[in-house]
């Protein structure tokens, strides 16, 4: 595949994979992207998954046509992109490896060597000239690993964006970009919104005509659409008004309540999305929770706790910094319902969540009282909830950004003894931002 006159796609499609990262179903497979730049010097951008090493090396050889290979740029060390590095060094022993110092430390762990004699260590702003192409490097720590760099080619105005702007799905899959890019982003990068925001601010200063990610298609048109979605996702703003109902039901009584609620909400003109957590793709349910503005959680008390699929679902939300949404609860229990109390408690450390005033308590099966509670909840979610979802007052809050990893501290003052929770550096590396 031709990207520009002297930049070619040399990645691979994986149609055999069952679970990406060992947990995400990928019905349309996965693409591991790699690119080669043929200039006075030659450079390959990243390697591929271990199952495709030889196919990738064959593509490199075909594009080189007998020329020497000068550089392998390693932007990310997760094995879907780094697993073929060692075999690459055997095939091209004279090539230098361009990466961050953290990436070389990881190579030592993965391969038993940090390729000391081949290292070209790059930091924020480092440059590498290939002749016509001038590459500069942008650190992108915790998007979504600490060693990540992105690469900007100022000659052809290309951003090699590492995992950012990637999606699930092989390149020959015919599917909507946003659907599988959103599921990928929320699942894999969702926890690191402030770090993504930091990179978007750096990218905003560049003149970008093409984005070459490590997964999914090369993006060269309507870039504002993709960047806007990344801005929404990484700032935890709902993308759409709508109510996701995530539920578990053992004998059908909780499901019956969920269906009644959905019907009432739809009658009031609300967009409703249902997810049976025991049967749906959990990553799709998590994606929906982040996509829409309101979430209803309905489950049973089970072993003096909540039903396991619901516990796992809420864990998936909180570990990805779920915030800035309205959450409502429906519980079912035959003798001692505690599900609402437990679910609420699981969000204790979440910020900017509004809990609906109305909750629904079902004692085994819907009755007149719980049906009335359902109706009140529907009323609140369809109308009144809008007034309750105002953002928490910001007061005199200021924002301080870690210049190393992009972590953002919000508060009136940055404490002198503050330590960045991501990179463990002190207050001196923080700068105030707008
Ligand atoms: Fe595509 Fe984080 O590896």
């Amino acid at each position: 595949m031709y990207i520009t006159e002297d930049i070619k796609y040399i990645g691979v499609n994986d149609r055999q994979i069952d679970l990406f990262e060992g947990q995400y179903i990928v019905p349309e497979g996965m693409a591991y992207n790699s690119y080669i730049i043929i200039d006075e010097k030659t450079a390959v951008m990243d390697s591929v998954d271990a199952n495709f090493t030889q196919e990738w090396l064959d593509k490199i050889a075909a594009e080189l046509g007998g020329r020497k290979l000068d550089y392998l740029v390693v932007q990310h060390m997760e094995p879907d992109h780094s697993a073929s590095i060692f075999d690459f060094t055997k095939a091209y022993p004279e090539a230098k490896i361009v990466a961050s110092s953290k990436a070389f430390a990881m190579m030592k762990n993965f391969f038993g060597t940090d390729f000391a004699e081949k290292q070209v260590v790059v930091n924020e702003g480092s440059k590498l000239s290939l002749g016509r192409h001038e590459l500069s490097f942008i650190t992108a720590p915790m998007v979504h690993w600490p060693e990540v760099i992105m690469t900007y080619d100022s000659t052809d105005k290309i951003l090699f964006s590492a995992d950012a702007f990637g999606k699930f799905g092989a390149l020959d899959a015919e599917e909507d970009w946003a659907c599988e890019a959103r599921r990928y982003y929320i699942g894999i990068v969702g926890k690191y919104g402030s770090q993504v925001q930091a990179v978007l601010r750096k990218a905003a200063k560049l003149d970008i005509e093409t984005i070459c990610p490590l997964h999914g298609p090369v993006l060269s048109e309507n870039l504002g659409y993709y960047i806007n979605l990344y801005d929404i996702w990484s700032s935890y703003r709902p993308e759409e008004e709508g109510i996701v109902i995530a539920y578990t039901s053992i004998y059908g009584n909780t499901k019956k309540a969920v269906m009644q609620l959905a019907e009432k909400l739809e009658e009031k003109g609300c967009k409703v999305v249902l997810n049976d957590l025991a049967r749906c793709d959990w990553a799709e349910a998590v994606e929906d929770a982040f996509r829409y503005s309101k979430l209803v959680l309905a489950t049973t008390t089970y072993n003096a706790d909540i039903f396991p699929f619901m516990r796992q679902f809420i864990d998936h939300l909180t570990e990805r910094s779920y915030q800035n949404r309205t959450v409502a609860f429906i519980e079912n229990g035959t003798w001692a319902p505690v599900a609402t109390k437990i679910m609420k408690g699981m969000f204790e450390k979440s910020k900017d969540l509004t809990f609906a005033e109305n909750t629904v308590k079902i004692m085994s099966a819907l009755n007149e009282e719980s049906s009335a509670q359902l109706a009140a909840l529907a009323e609140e979610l369809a109308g009144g909830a809008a007034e309750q979802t105002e953002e928490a007052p910001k007061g005199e809050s200021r924002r301080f950004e870690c210049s190393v990893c992009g972590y953002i501290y919000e508060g009136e003052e940055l404490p002198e003894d503050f330590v960045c929770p991501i990179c463990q550096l002190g207050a001196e590396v923080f700068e105030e931002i707008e």
Side-chain angles (χ1 to χ4, degrees):
M1 192 203 304
Y2 174 98
I3 311 295
T4 66
E5 192 184 335
D6 44 15
I7 301 181
K8 305 282 168 43
Y9 180 84
I10 52 166
V12 297
N13 280 329
D14 184 351
R15 282 282 184 180
Q16 273 74 53
I17 188 170
D18 58 346
L19 295 175
F20 182 69
E21 277 196 356
Q23 58 176 330
Y24 298 97
I25 60 164
V26 280
E28 291 292 341
M30 203 65 201
Y32 312 117
N33 296 343
S34 173
Y35 307 89
I36 187 166
I37 307 173
I38 307 287
D39 200 339
E40 289 169 26
K41 302 269 189 187
T42 55
V44 165
M45 306 299 295
D46 293 293
S47 79
V48 297
D49 182 87
N51 291 325
F52 299 88
T53 304
Q54 195 53 53
E55 181 181 339
W56 174 68
L57 288 173
D58 290 347
K59 287 185 178 186
I60 294 173
E63 292 298 340
L64 282 173
R67 280 193 58 182
K68 174 174 171 266
L69 186 47
D70 295 291
Y71 300 109
L72 171 66
V73 178
V74 175
Q75 301 186 109
H76 182 20
M77 278 300 295
E78 193 165 5
D80 52 333
H81 311 294
S82 70
S84 303
I85 292 175
F86 193 82
D87 288 323
F88 171 91
T89 63
K90 297 295 167 210
Y92 296 97
E94 291 177 6
K96 299 282 186 193
I97 300 177
V98 181
S100 65
S101 56
K102 284 194 175 75
F104 284 114
M106 290 180 182
M107 286 180 214
K108 176 102 177 159
N109 293 334
F110 276 113
F111 307 119
T113 171
D114 61 2
F115 305 106
E117 72 292 353
K118 300 176 189 298
Q119 287 189 9
V120 178
V121 179
V122 292
N123 299 304
E124 180 73 33
S126 297
K127 294 190 187 313
L128 179 68
S129 177
L130 302 178
R132 196 175 82 81
H133 291 271
E134 301 290 336
L135 305 184
S136 56
F137 299 97
I138 300 154
T139 56
M142 301 317 297
V143 182
H144 61 126
W145 278 27
E147 83 297 357
V148 173
I149 55 171
M150 297 182 183
T151 307
Y152 179 62
D153 174 1
S154 57
T155 309
D156 284 345
K157 300 179 179 171
I158 294 175
L159 179 68
F160 295 94
S161 61
D163 273 341
F165 300 101
K167 66 181 275 295
F168 294 126
L171 288 197
D172 53 1
E174 287 191 17
E175 60 188 358
D176 177 51
W177 182 89
C179 181
E180 284 298 68
R182 187 189 300 103
R183 190 168 70 96
Y184 176 92
Y185 175 89
I186 300 297
I188 292 172
V189 190
K191 179 179 176 64
Y192 303 106
S194 63
Q195 288 79 13
V196 175
Q197 284 279 307
V199 172
L200 288 177
R201 281 193 289 279
K202 293 183 196 179
K205 295 175 188 158
L206 303 173
D207 182 6
I208 300 169
E209 289 182 357
T210 305
I211 296 174
C212 289
L214 286 176
H215 303 287
V218 170
L219 307 173
S220 54
E221 288 177 6
N222 201 10
L223 296 189
Y225 167 77
Y226 305 104
I227 292 169
N228 180 50
L229 281 178
Y230 254 63
D231 184 40
I232 291 170
W233 299 340
S234 58
S235 58
Y236 300 98
R237 303 197 307 275
E239 195 178 327
E240 290 178 50
E241 281 299 315
I243 300 164
V244 177
I245 309 179
Y247 68 96
T248 67
S249 189
I250 304 173
Y251 292 106
N253 288 305
T254 310
K255 181 173 181 177
K256 192 171 174 187
V258 162
M259 293 305 164
Q260 274 196 22
L261 177 66
E263 195 179 324
K264 287 177 194 300
L265 290 168
E266 282 171 346
E267 280 169 9
K268 293 172 190 298
C270 298
K271 160 101 181 168
V272 177
V273 177
L274 293 170
N275 278 303
D276 176 347
L277 297 177
R279 292 173 178 82
C280 69
D281 166 24
W282 69 264
E284 192 85 36
V286 170
E287 176 197 343
D288 286 338
F290 278 86
R291 179 175 182 174
Y292 294 99
S293 53
K294 293 166 192 164
L295 174 65
V296 179
L297 299 172
T299 197
T300 44
T301 297
Y302 192 81
N303 285 338
D305 200 313
I306 55 176
F307 206 63
F309 295 110
M310 180 59 77
R311 174 163 282 282
Q312 194 177 32
F313 179 64
I314 297 175
D315 281 340
H316 282 309
L317 297 182
T318 54
E319 73 190 34
R320 288 167 178 77
S321 304
Y322 187 72
Q323 56 188 270
N324 201 25
R325 305 288 193 281
T326 296
V327 184
F329 303 99
I330 297 173
E331 67 176 345
N332 194 350
T334 297
W335 63 94
V338 290
T340 291
K341 184 172 171 229
I342 290 172
M343 287 191 284
K344 259 190 188 173
M346 289 181 73
F347 289 107
E348 203 173 24
K349 292 184 182 156
S350 304
K351 61 178 187 178
D352 295 334
L353 287 184
T354 302
F355 296 134
E357 283 183 3
N358 290 282
T359 57
V360 179
K361 179 187 281 192
I362 303 164
M363 297 297 288
S364 302
L366 274 175
N367 59 18
E368 205 173 308
E369 188 181 355
S370 48
S371 293
Q373 291 170 355
L374 264 187
L377 178 60
E379 194 66 37
E380 180 182 349
L381 291 174
E387 287 105 63
Q388 293 178 38
T389 53
E390 341 165 318
E391 285 187 20
K394 293 271 188 276
E396 297 300 312
S397 184
R398 296 156 66 196
R399 287 155 57 83
F400 301 87
E401 181 182 40
C402 173
S403 58
V404 176
C405 74
Y407 175 83
I408 292 178
Y409 174 88
E410 291 186 41
E412 289 181 28
E413 290 293 338
L414 180 71
E416 282 179 13
D417 58 353
F418 186 76
V419 174
C420 175
I422 303 289
C423 63
Q424 310 301 322
L425 295 172
E428 67 280 2
V429 301
F430 278 74
E431 291 163 9
E432 186 167 4
I433 56 171
E434 291 295 310

